[in-house]
Amino acid sequence: MEHHASFLAVLLTNLLGLARHPWPSFAHGAPLSVLERYDHLLISVLAALVTVVLVLLVRAKMVRVPGPLQQTMEYLVSFVRTLVADNVAHHPDRYVPLVGTLGVFILLNNLFGLIPGLGSGTANYNVTLGCALVVFLYYNFHGMREHGVGKYLGHFAGPVWFLWILMWPLEILGLFSRILSHSLRLFGNIAGEHVVTGIFFGLAPLVVPVPLMVMGLFFGLIQTFVFIMLATIYVSGAVAHEH
């Protein structure tokens, strides 16, 4: 299994004097420290910390005439609020915090991969799977909260009661398949972009990779939007009331 630890993970390993040892069935047995082995988690923690710091910084220094940082954060909040309100009919502001936090976290992870010396957490399937599981548990929880456990699970039986034995297993299978599609879509696009950029960087450094990195910026924004858009749609379907 091919594995390239980020420069940040290597630097911290050397600074902290962490021991390196082979990991069975990983990276061809190359000796790695725990940070080098799990550098995707290191980048993800960094993205989470940057998100928290940005929010606290803006909140502590809010002014009537906003500066660039406050304007940017206000635009992001307004964008997410509009996105959720356009898709969720009842109490949309209830779901803005999670959708917005996921959006910033995923965007930072996507963009970190474009910075020399850093990697992208979302280029590792474990991170995207974790995000998809959070969304899955979140919208099912709110669906049960809105309708009650029995009614929420019962709507998977379909419109005709005597077909429930056929419809319910298919609907539940389709429900769980969302985890796979939601996580793989983000992982495949981000990981694929980084692999292609790395290959061309090795062939023609500083020439060919530049437009690919611009495309990587575009893909990072698009994939963030797609992820939070799907999360919003899933929430909308879970809490919607039939008329």
Short mmCIF file of all heavy atoms in Angstrom, two decimals, residues 130-153:
data_model
loop_
_atom_site.label_atom_id
_atom_site.label_comp_id
_atom_site.label_asym_id
_atom_site.label_seq_id
_atom_site.Cartn_x
_atom_site.Cartn_y
_atom_site.Cartn_z
N GLY A 130 -16.22 9.10 8.09
CA GLY A 130 -16.62 9.68 9.36
C GLY A 130 -17.62 10.82 9.18
O GLY A 130 -18.62 10.91 9.89
N CYS A 131 -17.36 11.69 8.19
CA CYS A 131 -18.28 12.80 7.91
C CYS A 131 -19.64 12.27 7.46
O CYS A 131 -20.69 12.78 7.89
CB CYS A 131 -17.69 13.71 6.84
SG CYS A 131 -16.22 14.62 7.35
N ALA A 132 -19.62 11.26 6.59
CA ALA A 132 -20.88 10.69 6.11
C ALA A 132 -21.67 10.03 7.23
O ALA A 132 -22.90 10.11 7.27
CB ALA A 132 -20.60 9.69 4.99
N LEU A 133 -20.98 9.37 8.16
CA LEU A 133 -21.65 8.74 9.29
C LEU A 133 -22.27 9.78 10.22
O LEU A 133 -23.37 9.57 10.75
CB LEU A 133 -20.67 7.87 10.07
CG LEU A 133 -20.31 6.53 9.43
CD1 LEU A 133 -19.16 5.85 10.20
CD2 LEU A 133 -21.51 5.60 9.36
N VAL A 134 -21.59 10.90 10.40
CA VAL A 134 -22.14 11.98 11.22
C VAL A 134 -23.44 12.48 10.61
O VAL A 134 -24.46 12.66 11.30
CB VAL A 134 -21.13 13.14 11.36
CG1 VAL A 134 -21.80 14.38 11.94
CG2 VAL A 134 -19.96 12.72 12.25
N VAL A 135 -23.44 12.70 9.29
CA VAL A 135 -24.65 13.16 8.61
C VAL A 135 -25.75 12.11 8.71
O VAL A 135 -26.91 12.44 8.98
CB VAL A 135 -24.34 13.46 7.13
CG1 VAL A 135 -25.62 13.78 6.35
CG2 VAL A 135 -23.37 14.63 7.02
N PHE A 136 -25.40 10.85 8.52
CA PHE A 136 -26.38 9.76 8.57
C PHE A 136 -27.07 9.70 9.94
O PHE A 136 -28.30 9.63 10.04
CB PHE A 136 -25.68 8.44 8.26
CG PHE A 136 -26.58 7.23 8.33
CD1 PHE A 136 -27.40 6.91 7.26
CD2 PHE A 136 -26.59 6.42 9.45
CE1 PHE A 136 -28.23 5.79 7.32
CE2 PHE A 136 -27.41 5.31 9.52
CZ PHE A 136 -28.24 4.99 8.45
N LEU A 137 -26.27 9.71 11.00
CA LEU A 137 -26.83 9.66 12.35
C LEU A 137 -27.64 10.93 12.65
O LEU A 137 -28.68 10.86 13.30
CB LEU A 137 -25.71 9.49 13.37
CG LEU A 137 -24.94 8.16 13.31
CD1 LEU A 137 -23.76 8.19 14.28
CD2 LEU A 137 -25.85 6.98 13.60
N TYR A 138 -27.17 12.05 12.15
CA TYR A 138 -27.81 13.33 12.44
C TYR A 138 -29.21 13.42 11.84
O TYR A 138 -30.17 13.73 12.54
CB TYR A 138 -26.94 14.47 11.90
CG TYR A 138 -27.46 15.85 12.17
CD1 TYR A 138 -27.30 16.44 13.41
CD2 TYR A 138 -28.09 16.59 11.17
CE1 TYR A 138 -27.77 17.72 13.67
CE2 TYR A 138 -28.57 17.86 11.41
CZ TYR A 138 -28.40 18.43 12.65
OH TYR A 138 -28.87 19.69 12.89
N TYR A 139 -29.34 13.13 10.54
CA TYR A 139 -30.67 13.30 9.94
C TYR A 139 -31.64 12.20 10.36
O TYR A 139 -32.85 12.44 10.46
CB TYR A 139 -30.58 13.44 8.41
CG TYR A 139 -30.27 12.21 7.61
CD1 TYR A 139 -31.24 11.24 7.35
CD2 TYR A 139 -29.03 12.04 7.02
CE1 TYR A 139 -30.97 10.13 6.56
CE2 TYR A 139 -28.74 10.94 6.24
CZ TYR A 139 -29.71 9.99 6.01
OH TYR A 139 -29.43 8.90 5.23
N ASN A 140 -31.14 11.01 10.66
CA ASN A 140 -32.05 9.98 11.17
C ASN A 140 -32.52 10.31 12.58
O ASN A 140 -33.68 10.07 12.94
CB ASN A 140 -31.37 8.62 11.13
CG ASN A 140 -31.39 7.99 9.76
OD1 ASN A 140 -32.44 7.65 9.22
ND2 ASN A 140 -30.21 7.86 9.15
N PHE A 141 -31.63 10.87 13.40
CA PHE A 141 -32.02 11.30 14.73
C PHE A 141 -33.12 12.36 14.67
O PHE A 141 -34.13 12.28 15.38
CB PHE A 141 -30.81 11.84 15.49
CG PHE A 141 -31.17 12.59 16.75
CD1 PHE A 141 -31.53 11.91 17.90
CD2 PHE A 141 -31.17 13.98 16.77
CE1 PHE A 141 -31.87 12.60 19.07
CE2 PHE A 141 -31.51 14.68 17.92
CZ PHE A 141 -31.86 13.99 19.07
N HIS A 142 -32.93 13.35 13.79
CA HIS A 142 -33.93 14.41 13.69
C HIS A 142 -35.22 13.91 13.04
O HIS A 142 -36.31 14.43 13.36
CB HIS A 142 -33.36 15.60 12.92
CG HIS A 142 -32.50 16.49 13.75
ND1 HIS A 142 -33.02 17.38 14.67
CD2 HIS A 142 -31.15 16.62 13.84
CE1 HIS A 142 -32.04 18.02 15.27
NE2 HIS A 142 -30.90 17.59 14.79
N GLY A 143 -35.10 12.93 12.16
CA GLY A 143 -36.31 12.33 11.61
C GLY A 143 -37.13 11.63 12.67
O GLY A 143 -38.36 11.78 12.73
N MET A 144 -36.47 10.88 13.54
CA MET A 144 -37.17 10.21 14.64
C MET A 144 -37.69 11.21 15.66
O MET A 144 -38.77 11.03 16.23
CB MET A 144 -36.22 9.21 15.32
CG MET A 144 -35.79 8.06 14.44
SD MET A 144 -34.61 6.97 15.27
CE MET A 144 -34.16 5.87 13.91
N ARG A 145 -36.93 12.26 15.87
CA ARG A 145 -37.35 13.31 16.81
C ARG A 145 -38.60 14.04 16.29
O ARG A 145 -39.49 14.38 17.07
CB ARG A 145 -36.21 14.29 17.00
CG ARG A 145 -36.54 15.48 17.89
CD ARG A 145 -35.39 16.47 17.91
NE ARG A 145 -35.69 17.64 18.72
CZ ARG A 145 -34.89 18.69 18.82
NH1 ARG A 145 -33.74 18.71 18.17
NH2 ARG A 145 -35.24 19.72 19.56
N GLU A 146 -38.65 14.25 15.00
CA GLU A 146 -39.75 14.99 14.40
C GLU A 146 -41.02 14.16 14.31
O GLU A 146 -42.13 14.66 14.53
CB GLU A 146 -39.35 15.48 13.01
CG GLU A 146 -40.30 16.47 12.37
CD GLU A 146 -40.22 17.85 13.00
OE1 GLU A 146 -39.19 18.18 13.63
OE2 GLU A 146 -41.20 18.62 12.85
N HIS A 147 -40.89 12.88 13.97
CA HIS A 147 -42.06 12.04 13.70
C HIS A 147 -42.32 10.97 14.75
O HIS A 147 -43.41 10.39 14.78
CB HIS A 147 -41.91 11.35 12.33
CG HIS A 147 -41.70 12.29 11.19
ND1 HIS A 147 -42.70 13.09 10.70
CD2 HIS A 147 -40.61 12.55 10.43
CE1 HIS A 147 -42.25 13.80 9.68
NE2 HIS A 147 -40.98 13.50 9.51
N GLY A 148 -41.33 10.69 15.58
CA GLY A 148 -41.42 9.55 16.46
C GLY A 148 -40.75 8.34 15.82
O GLY A 148 -40.78 8.19 14.58
N VAL A 149 -40.18 7.47 16.62
CA VAL A 149 -39.41 6.34 16.09
C VAL A 149 -40.28 5.43 15.23
O VAL A 149 -39.92 5.06 14.11
CB VAL A 149 -38.77 5.53 17.24
CG1 VAL A 149 -38.04 4.31 16.68
CG2 VAL A 149 -37.82 6.41 18.04
N GLY A 150 -41.47 5.07 15.74
CA GLY A 150 -42.33 4.14 15.01
C GLY A 150 -42.78 4.68 13.67
O GLY A 150 -42.70 3.98 12.64
N LYS A 151 -43.24 5.91 13.65
CA LYS A 151 -43.73 6.50 12.39
C LYS A 151 -42.59 6.71 11.40
O LYS A 151 -42.76 6.49 10.20
CB LYS A 151 -44.42 7.82 12.68
CG LYS A 151 -45.06 8.45 11.45
CD LYS A 151 -45.79 9.73 11.80
CE LYS A 151 -46.43 10.35 10.55
NZ LYS A 151 -47.14 11.61 10.87
N TYR A 152 -41.43 7.10 11.91
CA TYR A 152 -40.29 7.34 11.02
C TYR A 152 -39.84 6.05 10.35
O TYR A 152 -39.61 6.00 9.14
CB TYR A 152 -39.14 7.97 11.79
CG TYR A 152 -37.92 8.24 10.94
CD1 TYR A 152 -37.91 9.30 10.04
CD2 TYR A 152 -36.78 7.45 11.03
CE1 TYR A 152 -36.79 9.56 9.26
CE2 TYR A 152 -35.66 7.70 10.26
CZ TYR A 152 -35.67 8.76 9.37
OH TYR A 152 -34.56 9.01 8.59
N LEU A 153 -39.69 4.99 11.14
CA LEU A 153 -39.29 3.70 10.56
C LEU A 153 -40.41 3.11 9.70
O LEU A 153 -40.15 2.41 8.72
CB LEU A 153 -38.91 2.72 11.68
CG LEU A 153 -37.67 3.09 12.51
CD1 LEU A 153 -37.45 2.06 13.61
CD2 LEU A 153 -36.45 3.20 11.62
#
